[in-house]
Amino acid sequence: GYRRTVPRGTLRKIIKKHKPHLRLAANTDLLVHLSFLLFLHRLAEEARTNAFENKSKIIKPEHTIAAAKVILKKSRG
Amino acid sequence: MDGRVGLRASRRAAPTPRVAVRSSPRQRARVREQEPVVSAMSGSGLGKENKAGSSTPLRHRPNAFSELDNATPRVMLRKIIQNQPQVSPLALQTVQLEETEDARPEPPSQRTSSTVELQLPDLVPEDASVTTFRMTRKRKKLSISEFERAADKRLPQNQAHSTLDSTLVRSLRMSVGSVMAPDTVEKRGLLRRPQNHKAIDIAAFEGGVEQNMLQIKAQDYLVDLQTSSMTGTTTIRTDAEVVLNNTELFVEPQLGEQNLLAVEPQLSDSKTSAQRSNTSYPAHEKARLEGLVSRVSTDERRTLRFSEKDLITDHEHVDGITQKTPAKEGEDEQDHSQQNDPMEQFSESEEMAGTTEHHADAEYSEHSEKKLSRKAVSQLTAAQDAGVEMEMTPSEGGVAEGTEHQDSPKAELQMAGSPGGHSPASYSLKKSGAKPLKEAVEQTGEIERGTITGVLDAAEEEATDDESDIEDHESEEISMKTPMFVHAAAYRPHPVLSPPHPVKSASPELPPQPVRAKPVPKSSGAAQRKTREPEIASSLIKQIFSHYVKTPVTRDAYKIVEKCSERYFKQISSDLEAYSQHAGRKTVEMADVELLMRRQGLVTDKMPLHVLVERHLPLEYRKLLIPIAVSGNKVIPCK
C-alpha cells in the first residue's frame, strides 16, 4: 500500500485557483481525485507502451510527452 | 447412459467395450448395467487409473469423476493433457442443474439409435453419474470390483465394435466439439491460462528492468553528479538538469524552463566572455573553468532562485545589503575575477533587460547563495538595491550585469586576482563537489556575514585584492558579474585572503547571522507560503505514477507528468464548471464529476463508477462514496 490519504485540501485549492467562483460539493473532490488517478493510470500505460515500443526499459521524457498528448486529449470532457 | 458410455468410450484411445456397446442394441442393457456401476466405477476407476498413472482410455470417461475425486492440479493437468476434449466439466454443469436421479433414468429412456442423440444424453447421464458420484463417494471404493467386472465384460464386446465406435466417437466429438471447447477452456482456465507469450516477455522484461533499476538509478545519480560537477557549460542544458540541480523543495517547472532558457544563453555568453578573459588572463584559464563550473552551480542556484518568488524577502535584504553590496561587489569581483568571467558572461546574457538590476544582481548574487534556501530573496534585494524590481529570471541576469557595472567602476580596485582566482577555484571545486544548495547556503552565510561586517572587510579585501587583481581588471569586470555567492565562498574558504580580518570568517559568522537570519527566514517563510501556488505534491505524483507504470522512470519524465497533471486539473476544472453551469448550479455535484468521467471514457455501461471507486480509492473513501445498506433499513452514508 502506498500513500493512503488523498490530498483533499490541495485538490480544492487547485480547483479554486483555476475557477475561484466554482464550489465543490461534499465528496466531489474524492471523485476528482479518482479521475486524476485514472488519468495517471492511462498516462502510465501509454508511456509504458511507448517505451516498450522503443525497446527501452526506462520511461523517458519523450515517451511521456507523446503519451501526454494522447491522454490529455482523451481526458477532455 | 449410452451417451455416457459412448463418451467415455470415445475418450478412450482404444475401442472399449463401452463404445461397442453404444452401437449395439446391447448397449442399453449394458449401459443400464453400467449406469449404476459406471458412476461408482468411473470414480473408482478413475481413481484407480489415475493412481496407476496410466493414460488408459478409461480415464477419459471418468474424467469428470476423477476430477471430482482427485482434484489435485497434478491429476487434473495430466488428464487435460491426455484427454484433450473434456466433456466432463460441461457435463457437470448440466448435471448440476438436473437432479442426479432424474438424469440417470432419462438417458436410458432417451436412447435412440442415432449416435448423436446418444451423445447428447450421454452428457446428461454422465453429469448425473458425476453428481451421483459426488453424492456417493463411498460407492467409488465399493464398486471398483464391479467396475472391473463390468469393464472386463464389456471389453470383449466392445472390441468388436471398436471401429464403429471410433467413428461414432469422432462424430460425437464433432457434435460436441462446441461443448468440449468451452470445457477445455474452462478446464484450462482452472489450471492454467494459455501461455501469453507477451505476458512472459513483459514479465521477463520487467524483471530485467528491476534488476537494472538500481544500476540505472546509480547511473542517473552519477550522471547527475557528474553533470553538476562537470564543466558546467554543458551540464545545465536541459530543463531536467536545471531542475534536478535545484535542490529546492518547491521548484516550479515553468520557472525551470525559463531558467533553462536563461541559462543557455548565459552559458553561451559566458563561454564567449570566458574566452575573452582567457585571452587576457591565460593564467586564469583554470579559474575560468572553475568559474564555469561555479557558474553552472550558480546557474543552478539561479534556477532555484527563479523558482522562488521572494520579492518580499528581497526587500528586507536589500536594505541590509545595500551597504554591503557595493563593498561586496568589489570583493566579489576580486574574488571571482576568474570565476566571474564566465559567470559574468553568463549573467550578462541573462540580464539583457535590467541594467539597474545589475547592482541588484551583484547583491543578488551575493545573497542568492545565502538565499538558496530563501530563494530569490537575494535577487529581490539586489533588484531593490538597484531600485528596480527584479524578476526572477532577469534578476539573475541583472545580477551578472550589475556586477559588471559595478566592477567597471571598481576595476581599479580590482581585488586580488590571484587570491580571487584561488578562491573561486577552490570554491568552484568545492561547489562542484558539494551540493549546490549546501554551497549556496554556505555562500549566502558568507555573504551575509560579509554584508554586515564584511563591508569593511570587503573594502579591505578589495584593497589587498586590488593589487593582486590589477591584472584581473578586465576579467574582473566580467567576473564582477559572478554571483556574490562566489565571492562569499571565496572568502570564506580562504581566510588567507583577508589576513587583516581573520576574525572575519569566524566572528562575523555569529553576529551577522542572528541579525540577518531573523528577518530573512521570516520574510522568506511567509512570502513563500503566500506566493506558493497549490500543487499536488510531486512525491505523490511520483508514487502513483511509478506504481502504475511499474518500470523505472527518469526524473525528467516525472517533471513532465507533473506538468500534465497541472494541465489536467485546469482542463477538468473548466469542464466541471461547464457541466454545473449547464445544470443551472453553481456547485459541482457528484453527478457532474460522474458525467465528466463518463465523457472521458472511464465510466461506461460496462464499468460503473462504484467499481472504479472500489478499485482505486483507499477503503476509507469508498465508504464515503458507496452507499452501503445495513440492517435496520439504514444506508451508509445516509442519503
Side-chain angles (χ1 to χ4, degrees):
Chain A
Y2 52 104
R3 199 178 293 197
R4 292 314 235 165
T5 49
V6 168
R8 300 183 73 172
T10 315
L11 281 175
R12 285 176 171 265
K13 276 190 214 157
I14 291 178
I15 296 184
K16 205 76 181 165
K17 172 181 84 171
H18 285 126
K19 299 282 169 191
H21 53 274
L22 195 62
R23 301 183 193 183
L24 290 173
N27 288 329
T28 49
D29 51 354
L30 289 178
L31 284 185
V32 166
H33 182 81
L34 176 65
S35 74
F36 175 60
L37 285 180
L38 291 163
F39 165 75
L40 285 184
H41 189 30
R42 276 176 167 179
L43 192 65
E45 290 298 325
E46 185 72 22
R48 190 152 157 263
T49 308
N50 288 353
F52 202 56
E53 280 170 8
N54 285 12
K55 296 170 224 113
S56 162
K57 297 195 175 182
I58 317 169
I59 307 288
K60 299 213 179 111
E62 47 265 24
H63 306 143
T64 322
I65 291 174
K69 288 187 188 160
V70 173
I71 303 295
L72 274 172
K73 185 138 193 227
K74 231 181 182 182
S75 301
R76 276 188 300 158
Chain B
M1 263 220 330
D2 293 342
R4 183 174 46 184
V5 173
L7 283 172
R8 288 180 188 158
S10 65
R11 295 224 183 106
R12 290 180 217 147
T16 62
R18 294 203 181 97
V19 173
V21 166
R22 225 169 15 109
S23 57
S24 70
R26 290 170 292 174
Q27 287 176 6
R28 284 193 194 177
R30 287 201 194 104
V31 173
R32 281 186 184 152
E33 292 172 23
Q34 289 175 356
E35 274 184 341
V37 177
V38 166
S39 57
M41 289 192 333
S42 61
S44 58
L46 277 178
K48 240 178 134 189
E49 289 172 351
N50 292 336
K51 289 170 190 173
S54 63
S55 60
T56 59
L58 272 179
R59 207 188 306 152
H60 287 278
R61 185 210 170 177
N63 263 335
F65 301 3
S66 63
E67 289 169 10
L68 293 176
D69 289 340
N70 311 323
T72 61
R74 182 163 153 231
V75 169
M76 293 170 76
L77 260 176
R78 193 198 303 146
K79 286 184 188 177
I80 290 173
I81 292 168
Q82 289 160 354
N83 317 325
Q84 285 302 327
Q86 304 247 340
V87 181
S88 52
L90 192 71
L92 280 171
Q93 288 175 3
T94 56
V95 171
Q96 291 166 9
L97 296 174
E98 300 173 1
E99 289 285 312
T100 60
E101 295 178 3
D102 295 340
R104 258 196 274 162
E106 279 173 14
S109 59
Q110 294 170 3
R111 257 182 242 140
T112 59
S113 57
S114 69
T115 57
V116 177
E117 293 176 6
L118 284 175
Q119 293 166 5
L120 293 177
D122 286 349
L123 289 174
V124 174
E126 246 186 74
D127 299 336
S129 61
V130 172
T131 51
T132 48
F133 175 74
R134 277 196 204 144
M135 319 238 330
T136 61
R137 292 215 168 192
K138 290 182 184 176
R139 256 203 231 166
K140 171 185 171 182
K141 295 175 187 174
L142 299 174
S143 60
I144 286 179
S145 56
E146 293 177 6
F147 175 77
E148 289 177 356
R149 270 180 254 135
D152 292 2
K153 254 196 227 172
R154 296 208 176 100
L155 274 167
Q157 293 169 0
N158 288 340
Q159 280 168 1
H161 306 275
S162 60
T163 52
L164 184 59
D165 291 338
S166 61
T167 56
L168 289 176
V169 170
R170 266 181 250 124
S171 60
L172 172 65
R173 280 187 189 147
M174 284 167 60
S175 63
V176 298
S178 60
V179 172
M180 314 262 256
D183 294 344
T184 324
V185 173
E186 278 183 26
K187 183 124 199 201
R188 285 189 172 277
L190 288 173
L191 298 176
R192 180 167 297 195
R193 300 254 169 236
Q195 287 296 334
N196 186 0
H197 293 295
K198 189 185 174 187
I200 290 173
D201 291 346
I202 290 180
F205 162 86
E206 292 183 354
V209 165
E210 290 175 3
Q211 288 176 2
N212 294 335
M213 268 182 82
L214 284 181
Q215 295 175 7
I216 291 162
K217 282 181 186 173
Q219 288 170 8
D220 287 344
Y221 182 66
L222 287 175
V223 169
D224 293 338
L225 285 182
Q226 287 172 6
T227 53
S228 59
S229 61
M230 286 216 3
T231 54
T233 54
T234 56
T235 54
I236 305 191
R237 290 292 178 190
T238 64
D239 242 354
E241 285 182 350
V242 169
V243 183
L244 283 174
N245 292 325
N246 181 358
T247 57
E248 291 299 342
L249 287 178
F250 309 98
V251 177
E252 294 186 349
Q254 297 162 1
L255 292 174
E257 285 177 350
Q258 296 171 11
N259 294 341
L260 176 62
L261 296 176
V263 167
E264 285 183 353
Q266 290 171 2
L267 288 174
S268 58
D269 293 344
S270 61
K271 276 182 185 172
T272 55
S273 61
Q275 291 172 359
R276 276 184 278 151
S277 59
N278 281 339
T279 55
S280 56
Y281 306 97
H284 300 297
E285 286 183 15
K286 188 183 175 185
R288 189 162 37 84
L289 287 178
E290 294 170 347
L292 286 176
V293 176
S294 61
R295 187 198 336 158
V296 172
S297 53
T298 52
D299 293 343
E300 299 172 353
R301 295 210 190 83
R302 287 183 187 181
T303 59
L304 289 176
R305 293 173 236 154
F306 288 166
S307 59
E308 298 302 333
K309 299 176 185 176
D310 296 336
L311 294 177
I312 300 175
T313 55
D314 286 343
H315 282 289
E316 296 184 9
H317 295 288
V318 172
D319 298 337
I321 298 168
T322 47
Q323 300 175 7
K324 180 187 169 185
T325 48
K328 256 298 173 85
E329 289 173 350
E331 292 177 353
D332 291 345
E333 299 174 34
Q334 296 172 6
D335 295 337
H336 306 281
S337 59
Q338 295 166 2
Q339 285 181 344
N340 291 341
D341 295 340
M343 301 302 300
E344 290 172 353
Q345 296 161 2
F346 179 85
S347 57
E348 282 178 5
S349 60
E350 286 182 314
E351 165 109 5
M352 307 308 275
T355 57
T356 55
E357 293 177 355
H358 298 320
H359 302 284
D361 293 340
E363 300 173 351
Y364 168 76
S365 58
E366 291 181 352
H367 304 290
S368 59
E369 303 171 21
K370 307 182 225 177
K371 299 193 187 172
L372 277 189
S373 53
R374 294 154 198 163
K375 307 164 184 179
V377 172
S378 58
Q379 289 178 358
L380 183 57
T381 55
Q384 290 173 354
D385 286 345
V388 178
E389 283 190 359
M390 281 182 47
E391 298 179 359
M392 306 299 252
T393 47
S395 63
E396 286 206 354
V399 173
E401 293 185 21
T403 54
E404 249 188 331
H405 292 288
Q406 291 172 353
D407 290 346
S408 50
K410 294 182 183 179
E412 309 288 334
L413 298 181
Q414 296 311 320
M415 322 260 292
S418 49
H422 289 306
S423 58
S426 62
Y427 175 77
S428 59
L429 290 175
K430 189 172 128 188
K431 283 201 292 185
S432 56
K435 293 177 184 175
L437 179 57
K438 192 176 177 186
E439 287 176 349
V441 171
E442 292 175 352
Q443 291 165 354
T444 55
E446 287 284 21
I447 296 171
E448 288 186 339
R449 285 180 241 146
T451 53
I452 294 181
T453 58
V455 174
L456 296 177
D457 294 338
E460 292 180 11
E461 282 188 3
E462 291 179 13
T464 55
D465 292 337
D466 291 345
E467 297 174 317
S468 53
D469 288 351
I470 290 176
E471 301 174 352
D472 304 339
H473 286 311
E474 303 173 6
S475 61
E476 282 187 82
E477 290 178 0
I478 308 170
S479 61
M480 288 284 277
K481 299 178 189 175
T482 57
M484 295 311 218
F485 72 81
V486 176
H487 295 295
Y491 24 92
R492 196 206 185 163
H494 302 283
V496 179
L497 288 177
S498 57
H501 313 283
V503 183
K504 179 181 165 186
S505 55
S507 58
E509 293 178 5
L510 300 178
Q513 266 182 351
V515 175
R516 295 186 84 78
K518 283 176 193 174
V520 172
K522 268 188 202 172
S523 56
S524 58
Q528 286 175 10
R529 249 178 272 126
K530 286 174 197 171
T531 56
R532 180 161 179 72
E533 288 203 4
E535 293 169 348
I536 293 279
S538 65
S539 57
L540 180 71
I541 292 181
K542 275 192 190 181
Q543 202 180 43
I544 297 172
F545 189 73
S546 57
H547 172 265
Y548 280 135
V549 84
K550 294 181 180 58
T551 52
V553 183
T554 51
R555 273 178 249 183
D556 307 352
Y558 281 130
K559 296 296 168 189
I560 294 176
V561 173
E562 286 172 28
K563 282 192 211 165
C564 293
S565 311
E566 289 178 30
R567 206 188 297 182
Y568 173 75
F569 280 119
K570 196 172 168 194
Q571 271 185 6
I572 64 162
S573 57
S574 40
D575 288 344
L576 289 173
E577 182 193 16
Y579 295 155
S580 57
Q581 265 180 9
H582 179 74
R585 283 184 263 110
K586 288 184 189 170
T587 315
V588 175
E589 291 288 339
M590 308 288 264
D592 296 330
V593 190
E594 182 170 355
L595 174 61
L596 171 73
M597 292 178 64
R598 191 171 276 276
R599 296 205 55 172
Q600 286 179 344
L602 294 167
V603 174
T604 63
D605 297 334
K606 292 184 185 175
M607 176 64 72
L609 177 64
H610 289 332
V611 171
L612 291 175
V613 170
E614 280 213 21
R615 273 198 206 160
H616 293 94
L617 284 188
L619 176 61
E620 48 268 22
Y621 302 118
R622 281 184 240 154
K623 286 189 204 159
L624 293 176
L625 289 171
I626 302 181
I628 300 172
V630 295
S631 70
N633 207 20
K634 258 170 70 173
V635 175
I636 294 170
C638 64
K639 294 213 167 177

